[in-house]
């Protein structure tokens, strides 16, 4: 007789399908900093996922996994300990030597960090290879020029950067040629083939007008925002963008995680946009997404209930000046992209924080994805799937 785990079945039986193991599996006292972003990768090449944390205004944190989802803080031994306004992490083999390197972009001090791996998860400063400065909020990795080396796109307060890898882990600035010249306050960038032509496009979340940039097939982009995005009359301040097929029609839809932090009178309601298959979107928020009054600093498409369609998880900070304790929310897809709030069905009551980032990944090698929630100013949270 074979028994299969079904998270939706467990939830229907009123058993929370995730257990909060933060106190036993994380060096919890070390994680009450200003976590802005976290990224999982096998940094020490031992077959399990380690954790790199961008820690705002403090040294970044590197946690090593014991293989069972228990993490130890080995930051001081493994990575330079310096204070920067760290915002987001990118991990890839940037120098082509077969191991994973780390780039962390920074905002206020305009100092982007670059750490090269020795192959065993010990990192040295290679910041001299990043010759560009910017007030940077986000970074994404993709091979834009199809030379088998990872390039960077960086979202800035000002001109966004598109940096092409020179083949040895340095980067050349091709921003104007590939993106065009425009200045935004960009908080997030998502890559995906939204128009169905086989090439990854860019959806850019800004403090203000969001953008869609269409790839010509060679890594050069055209701004088609006014044609493709249905703008609303009220102000919008988007903190996160995610792409996914919410209605099973084979194309990528959009969720905008919205806040009211720096744009006065911006409406916080998150937005859901449906793709017509060619990259032109319709706003279906009012009928398909619950009304919220959250400042959602993260909004991710995740299949939390295992039914093969995408749900939405949000990380929120509702208190004044990024204070207070706010729930992470679960919006379950009931079919064809219509979502219902089922937070209490899936998360323990302990899941409160000042949420800035969400990771859904198998940290203990049991074949089931777990949650790591990044909190700014309070302790981070690790939930293990039962």
């Amino acid at each position: 007789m074979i028994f299969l785990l079904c998270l939706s079945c467990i939830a229907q039986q009123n058993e929370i399908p995730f257990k909060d193991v933060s106190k036993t599996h994380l060096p919890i006292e070390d994680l009450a900093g200003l976590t802005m972003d976290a990224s999982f990768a096998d940094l020490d090449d031992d077959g399990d996922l380690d954790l790199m944390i961008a820690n705002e205004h403090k040294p970044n944190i590197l946690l090593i996994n014991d293989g069972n989802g228990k993490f130890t803080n080995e930051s001081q031994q493994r990575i330079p300990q310096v204070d920067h306004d760290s915002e987001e992490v990118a991990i890839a083999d940037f120098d082509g030597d077969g191991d994973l390197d780390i780039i962390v972009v920074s905002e206020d001090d305009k100092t982007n960090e670059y750490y090269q791996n020795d192959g065993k998860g010990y990192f040295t400063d290679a910041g001299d290879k990043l010759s560009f400065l910017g007030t940077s909020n986000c970074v994404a990795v993709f091979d834009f020029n199809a030379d088998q080396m990872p390039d960077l796109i960086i979202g800035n307060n000002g001109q966004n950067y598109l940096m092409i890898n020179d083949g040895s882990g340095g980067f050349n600035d091709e921003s104007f040629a590939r993106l065009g010249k425009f200045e935004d306050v960009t908080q997030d960038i998502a890559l995906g083939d939204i128009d169905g032509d086989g090439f990854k496009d860019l959806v850019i979340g800004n403090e203000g007008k969001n953008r869609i940039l269409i790839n010509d097939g060679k890594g050069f982009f055209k701004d088609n925002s006014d044609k493709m995005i249905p703008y609303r009359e009220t102000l919008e301040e988007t903190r996160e963008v995610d792409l996914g097929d919410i209605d099973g029609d084979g194309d990528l839809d959009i969720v905008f995680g919205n806040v009211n932090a720096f744009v006065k009178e911006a409406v916080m309601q998150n937005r859901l946009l449906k793709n017509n298959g060619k990259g032109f979107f319709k706003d279906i928020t009012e009928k398909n997404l619950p009304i919220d009054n959250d400042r959602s600093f993260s909004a991710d498409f995740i299949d939390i209930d295992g039914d093969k369609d995408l749900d939405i998880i949000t990380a929120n900070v509702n208190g004044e000046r990024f204070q207070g304790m706010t729930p992470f929310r679960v919006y379950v897809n009931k079919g064809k992209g219509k979502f219902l709030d089922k937070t209490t069905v899936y998360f323990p009551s302990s899941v409160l924080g000042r949420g800035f980032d969400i990771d859904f990944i198998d940290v203990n090698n049991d074949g089931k994805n777990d949650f790591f929630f990044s909190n700014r100013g309070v302790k981070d949270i690790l939930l293990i799937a039962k």
Side-chain angles (χ1 to χ4, degrees):
M1 184 176 294
I2 299 175
F3 293 91
L4 298 177
L5 175 70
C6 172
L7 292 182
S8 60
C9 297
I10 292 174
Q12 289 170 8
Q13 296 169 7
N14 297 319
E15 180 182 350
I16 300 293
F18 295 93
K19 180 182 179 181
D20 187 345
V21 298
S22 306
K23 292 181 179 180
T24 57
H25 287 57
L26 296 175
I28 198 70
E29 296 305 323
D30 297 337
L31 299 180
L34 297 174
T35 301
M36 299 296 291
D37 182 54
S39 186
F40 285 86
D42 184 6
L43 297 172
D44 55 2
D45 196 30
D46 65 352
D48 55 41
L49 296 173
D50 309 301
L51 176 57
M52 177 67 189
I53 294 174
N55 198 18
E56 190 177 43
H57 302 303
K58 294 183 179 182
N60 296 319
I61 297 171
L62 198 159
L63 303 183
I64 297 298
N65 192 338
D66 70 352
N68 297 308
K70 292 186 177 182
F71 294 85
T72 57
N73 187 354
E74 299 188 15
S75 308
Q76 292 190 358
Q77 303 99 293
R78 291 181 178 269
I79 197 163
Q81 295 292 278
V82 290
D83 294 351
H84 291 296
D85 185 17
S86 300
E87 295 290 321
E88 192 161 66
V89 178
I91 297 177
D93 181 9
F94 293 112
D95 55 7
D97 65 353
D99 53 41
L100 295 174
D101 311 301
I102 297 170
I103 288 176
V104 184
V105 297
S106 299
E107 186 180 14
D108 292 344
D109 63 354
K110 302 182 181 181
T111 304
N112 298 314
E113 303 165 69
Y114 186 10
Y115 300 113
Q116 291 182 321
N117 194 337
D118 70 351
K120 297 181 180 179
Y122 293 85
F123 294 84
T124 56
D125 187 355
D128 59 333
K129 293 188 175 183
L130 296 183
S131 59
F132 52 93
L133 299 175
T135 306
S136 303
N137 296 307
C138 64
V139 57
V141 178
F142 183 67
D143 180 10
F144 288 99
N145 63 342
D147 66 351
Q148 309 304 311
M149 293 296 291
D151 308 309
L152 299 171
I153 184 166
I154 297 174
N156 292 317
N157 184 342
Q159 173 71 39
N160 291 335
Y161 295 155
L162 199 155
M163 313 300 297
I164 297 297
N165 196 317
D166 66 6
S168 62
F171 295 90
N172 298 315
D173 187 350
E174 299 187 13
S175 306
F176 292 156
R178 291 182 179 270
L179 296 178
K181 296 183 180 181
F182 54 84
E183 295 195 358
D184 293 318
V185 181
T186 295
Q187 292 290 349
D188 195 36
I189 299 174
L191 293 97
D193 178 13
I194 65 169
D195 58 357
D197 64 356
F199 303 107
K200 287 188 182 292
D201 310 299
L202 302 175
V203 183
I204 300 177
N206 294 321
E207 293 179 11
K209 179 181 178 180
N210 295 329
R211 293 186 188 271
I212 288 178
L213 304 185
I214 297 299
N215 192 337
D216 70 352
K218 298 180 180 180
F220 294 82
F221 295 86
K222 179 181 179 181
D223 186 355
N224 277 11
S225 308
D226 289 336
K227 297 178 181 178
M228 292 182 161
I229 297 178
Y231 292 108
R232 62 188 187 189
E233 295 182 1
T234 55
L235 295 176
E236 187 168 26
E237 180 181 355
T238 296
R239 189 72 187 205
E240 176 138 346
V241 180
D242 204 8
L243 306 178
D245 182 5
I246 62 171
D247 49 8
D249 63 356
D251 54 39
L252 294 176
D253 309 299
I254 298 174
V255 62
F256 289 140
N258 289 331
V259 302
N260 181 322
F262 302 107
V263 177
K264 187 178 180 181
E265 298 181 357
V267 174
M268 293 187 290
Q269 173 67 49
N270 296 327
R271 280 218 293 162
L272 192 63
L273 305 183
K274 176 179 168 54
N275 194 335
N276 75 344
K278 298 181 179 180
F280 295 85
F281 291 87
K282 177 182 179 181
D283 190 330
I284 61 171
T285 305
E286 185 175 351
K287 293 183 178 180
N288 289 58
L289 193 64
I291 296 173
D292 73 75
N293 196 34
D294 293 322
R295 293 192 298 180
S296 295
F297 284 83
S298 187
D300 293 336
F301 287 127
I302 290 170
D303 181 11
I304 193 173
D305 55 8
D307 66 354
K308 307 301 182 184
D309 58 27
L310 293 173
D311 312 299
I312 297 173
I313 316 297
T314 65
N316 310 295
V317 187
N318 289 351
E320 292 185 9
R321 301 181 64 84
F322 307 105
Q323 300 299 309
M325 299 292 281
T326 307
F328 293 77
R329 301 201 192 277
V330 178
Y331 298 110
V332 170
N333 191 338
K334 303 306 293 183
K336 300 299 182 182
K338 185 172 179 61
F339 296 86
L340 300 176
D341 189 341
K342 296 291 183 180
T343 302
T344 58
V345 175
Y346 288 93
F347 288 162
S349 59
S350 61
V351 182
L352 299 170
R354 301 170 192 166
F356 265 67
D357 186 48
I358 300 167
D359 290 276
F360 188 57
I361 198 163
D362 181 8
V363 304
N364 60 349
N365 293 311
D366 66 351
K368 297 173 286 189
N369 282 349
D370 313 297
F371 279 102
F372 182 82
F373 294 131
S374 298
N375 282 317
R376 187 183 186 276
V378 294
K379 296 171 183 177
D380 298 330
I381 297 171
L382 179 63
L383 301 182
I384 295 292
K386 295 179 180 178

